[in-house]
Amino acid sequence: DCVIQVINPNTSQAMTATIAGAARAVAAPGTKILAVCPPEGAPSIEGHFDEAIAAIGVLQQVKLGREAGVSGHIIACFGDPGLLAARELASRPVVGIAEAAMHMATLVATRFSIVTTLPRTLIIARHLLHQYGFERHCAALHAIDLPVLTLEDGSGLAQKKVREQCIKAKQHDGSGAIVLGCGGMADLARELTQELGIPVIDGVSAAVKMIESLHALGLSTSKHGDLDFPLVKPLSGMFGSFNG
Ligand SMILES: O=C(O)C[C@H]1NC(=O)NC1=O
């Protein structure tokens, strides 16, 4: 069986539930989803500072997941915070939802657009496109210009803005697919795909299927080279929990 730890790096319980629902909706019958978020940290991740804080929480959860013997880990925030650090710490695969959605988009379209939340986080998506080598695949990036947690406020306003930006992207970008740029948008992909007639891709579900595939192929994070376990040294203070 496959046990996947899905980590919402922010501390929003509502968004963790949204993410868990999207993961469970696509999980194979033999796959168990363990949805978690850090007990402390940022309620939402909306910039470089928040990402640095969230990365520590991701690493704490990855360590717990490794000790629990999970089959793989998903970082369910569109900035993929702490991804490579998590891969050093993990024995099993670690997949970020941005990289998962981008990879899937390249399998169904020559170019994709991204729709995310705040304009100031567009640079984070741009950095990831560069890091993952997908810059030439991304036609355009859009932001709904609303804070991340409006996706969980029940008003439907954020969801309305996501739909509007997806329609704009479909009409103007010349791209064949749309990547949703937030874990909190995970429950919107299927309906938008059907309504708009263009693949709208959520990274949470994409990452679940990627971890299942890696598990089935017996592939895990390589410990040969730079993703080997971290060099052992006495970590002090709040980081002591990482020792041993
Ligand atoms: O960067 C974003 O807009 C979305 C990102 N922030 C967050 O708290 N979860 C996310 O997926």
Side-chain angles (χ1 to χ4, degrees):
D1 273 4
C2 185
V3 179
I4 304 178
Q5 181 194 41
V6 180
I7 305 167
N8 172 18
N10 74 40
T11 58
S12 159
Q13 295 292 349
M15 191 162 289
T16 304
T18 298
I19 289 164
R24 292 187 174 116
V26 297
T31 295
K32 184 170 188 304
I33 300 293
L34 293 179
V36 297
C37 69
E40 48 194 27
S44 62
I45 298 158
E46 297 172 314
H48 311 293
F49 174 83
D50 292 349
E51 284 208 323
I53 289 177
I56 301 300
V58 167
L59 293 174
Q60 288 167 337
Q61 293 305 317
V62 166
K63 185 170 187 290
L64 292 170
R66 185 184 72 193
E67 289 160 356
V70 300
S71 313
H73 314 262
I74 292 172
I75 299 176
C77 168
F78 200 71
D80 296 348
L83 180 63
L84 290 180
R87 286 183 176 157
E88 285 189 12
L89 211 50
S91 311
R92 299 293 183 190
V94 184
V95 171
I97 64 170
E99 68 174 345
M102 291 171 181
H103 277 280
M104 283 300 185
T106 63
L107 303 180
V108 297
T110 54
R111 298 205 305 164
F112 61 83
S113 299
I114 294 173
V115 174
T116 189
T117 51
L118 290 176
R120 70 176 289 171
T121 60
L122 289 172
I123 187 62
I124 293 174
R126 289 188 191 282
H127 284 172
L128 293 180
L129 287 167
H130 180 74
Q131 182 178 332
Y132 302 146
F134 288 140
E135 272 167 319
R136 68 182 184 285
H137 291 276
C138 183
L141 299 96
H142 307 274
I144 62 172
D145 203 4
L146 284 173
V148 166
L149 292 182
T150 55
L151 284 158
E152 299 298 336
D153 71 8
S155 71
L157 176 62
Q159 287 75 8
K160 177 174 172 289
K161 295 280 186 184
V162 169
R163 183 177 171 279
E164 287 168 6
Q165 289 300 322
C166 287
I167 290 168
K168 198 172 115 186
K170 179 187 177 187
Q171 286 172 344
H172 303 302
D173 294 354
S175 49
I178 297 168
V179 164
L180 296 179
C182 182
M185 298 177 187
D187 56 343
L188 307 179
R190 202 173 289 272
E191 185 182 329
L192 286 170
T193 299
Q194 281 152 14
E195 184 206 343
L196 304 185
I198 181 172
V200 177
I201 298 166
D202 145 57
V204 173
S205 38
V208 167
K209 304 320 279 185
M210 286 183 165
I211 295 286
E212 285 178 347
S213 299
L214 291 163
H215 179 69
L217 293 169
L219 285 174
S220 257
T221 301
S222 171
K223 291 301 168 185
H224 173 74
D226 60 287
L227 293 180
D228 195 358
F229 294 112
L231 294 174
V232 178
K233 60 197 72 171
L235 300 174
S236 57
M238 67 184 274
F239 302 102
S241 64
F242 288 109
N243 291 326

